[in-house]
Amino acid sequence: MDKRSLRELKIDRELQSLVVPLSRAQYAQLEADVRAGRCREPLLTWRGCILEEYERYEICARHHIEIPVAETAFKCREAVTAWLCAGQLERTDLTEQTRRCLMGIWLEAEKALNREKYGHPKSKETERRIAARAGVAPASVQRYGRYAKALRQMDAVHPGLLSQVLSGKCAQPIQKAVETAKMHIEKRSASVKDMPAYDPDATLTGLALTAPSWAGSIRRVRERADMPAVSPAAKVRLAAALEELQNEIASILSVIEEDPDGLS
């Protein structure tokens, strides 16, 4: 248990996408419980990032309620992902599509952990274990693994797609997802021979061209937003996003400054 304030915590968008948001009724009940002091369990984190209960975090931050924070001992992202998926599948309010996607992501995470530990994914054994926990057939878990892998490949082309599928905002049938992902892979493979020569400056140059638009957006918000009229929840969300951006900016500046020729 530690005494970090809520403002010190971070949000990992990839991990957050694995946690299905509460309904309006569930949120209202949670807010009532939090304000009445009935939710004092520690908020779990991994490397300073909130793992779940994002709504409780938001409510506490909005009402200036301090709650205990506990850092978990997970060694890697795959372990966190597997734990989150298993926990979410205990819920009874998930859509069937969300359950399938979570099972597939859980399977892929466990296989990655097995490769690291044993040098082999142990696919069949893992499929049986997840199937027993989720109450489905092992063959279904295998199919959901292909589904999750396809969705991740599509998400690389269309960022945010996986999050929308998990939240139920976007329907993506299994077979269609797998076929679409295969098509994207084939298209990328066919275009490799047409790729331009490697330019080591390209990534940084692209960021340098994009960064001014962030500054412009922030400036416009500062000049135009009617802050007294903005809801506390919106302010908390923006503050969290800006703090995450600030951390990333500090990180890249540190990398640049470590290079002897970086700022010369």
Side-chain angles (χ1 to χ4, degrees), residues 116-143:
E116 179 68 25
K117 187 174 181 179
Y118 306 109
H120 188 278
K122 290 182 173 285
S123 300
K124 296 300 181 183
E125 179 183 326
T126 307
E127 288 161 10
R128 287 195 294 268
R129 181 161 51 81
I130 292 175
R133 285 277 300 273
V136 298
S140 295
V141 174
Q142 182 186 65
R143 192 156 54 98

Side-chain angles (χ1 to χ4, degrees), residues 52 81-91 94 102 106 133:
E52 52 184 357
T81 297
W83 178 79
L84 281 174
C85 290
Q88 287 294 292
L89 285 165
E90 297 292 328
R91 294 172 56 169
L94 304 181
L102 286 169
W106 182 7
R133 285 277 300 273

Side-chain angles (χ1 to χ4, degrees), residues 92-112:
T92 59
D93 59 341
L94 304 181
T95 66
E96 190 57 35
Q97 175 178 262
T98 299
R99 285 179 55 79
R100 290 171 178 173
C101 193
L102 286 169
M103 278 185 264
I105 294 172
W106 182 7
L107 174 63
E108 292 303 305
E110 291 280 8
K111 285 163 63 176

Side-chain angles (χ1 to χ4, degrees), residues 50-193:
I50 301 167
L51 283 187
E52 52 184 357
E53 297 193 283
Y54 295 94
E55 291 91 350
R56 183 157 71 107
Y57 163 74
E58 180 183 352
I59 291 166
C60 289
R62 178 154 46 89
H63 292 293
H64 306 289
I65 299 171
E66 287 296 327
I67 53 174
V69 176
E71 179 74 4
T72 59
F74 294 114
K75 293 183 179 180
C76 62
R77 179 174 292 271
E78 288 77 14
V80 176
T81 297
W83 178 79
L84 281 174
C85 290
Q88 287 294 292
L89 285 165
E90 297 292 328
R91 294 172 56 169
T92 59
D93 59 341
L94 304 181
T95 66
E96 190 57 35
Q97 175 178 262
T98 299
R99 285 179 55 79
R100 290 171 178 173
C101 193
L102 286 169
M103 278 185 264
I105 294 172
W106 182 7
L107 174 63
E108 292 303 305
E110 291 280 8
K111 285 163 63 176
L113 290 170
N114 289 338
R115 287 190 196 96
E116 179 68 25
K117 187 174 181 179
Y118 306 109
H120 188 278
K122 290 182 173 285
S123 300
K124 296 300 181 183
E125 179 183 326
T126 307
E127 288 161 10
R128 287 195 294 268
R129 181 161 51 81
I130 292 175
R133 285 277 300 273
V136 298
S140 295
V141 174
Q142 182 186 65
R143 192 156 54 98
Y144 302 154
R146 291 197 297 270
Y147 178 45
K149 192 172 181 179
L151 287 175
R152 284 193 183 280
Q153 291 167 343
M154 291 166 63
D155 190 71
V157 180
H158 305 289
L161 174 66
L162 179 59
S163 178
Q164 288 185 321
V165 172
L166 280 165
S167 65
K169 295 178 181 177
C170 173
Q172 194 65 238
I174 293 177
Q175 191 57 37
K176 181 181 177 182
V178 172
E179 290 173 356
T180 303
K182 183 179 179 181
M183 180 186 68
H184 283 311
I185 292 171
E186 290 172 350
K187 188 179 294 185
R188 284 204 303 272
S189 299
S191 64
V192 166
K193 60 183 180 182

Side-chain angles (χ1 to χ4, degrees), residues 12 27 35 45 79 82 84 115 123 126 149 158 186 192 195 205 208 222-223 229 249 251 262:
D12 183 303
Y27 185 97
R35 299 193 68 179
T45 61
L84 281 174
R115 287 190 196 96
S123 300
T126 307
K149 192 172 181 179
H158 305 289
E186 290 172 350
V192 166
M195 289 177 63
T205 300
R222 191 177 65 243
E223 293 171 352
I249 291 172
S251 177

Side-chain angles (χ1 to χ4, degrees), residues 225-246:
D226 183 5
M227 285 299 179
V230 175
S231 70
K235 291 178 182 176
V236 168
R237 283 194 296 270
L238 178 58
L242 289 175
E243 285 178 8
E244 185 178 353
L245 177 60
Q246 187 177 42

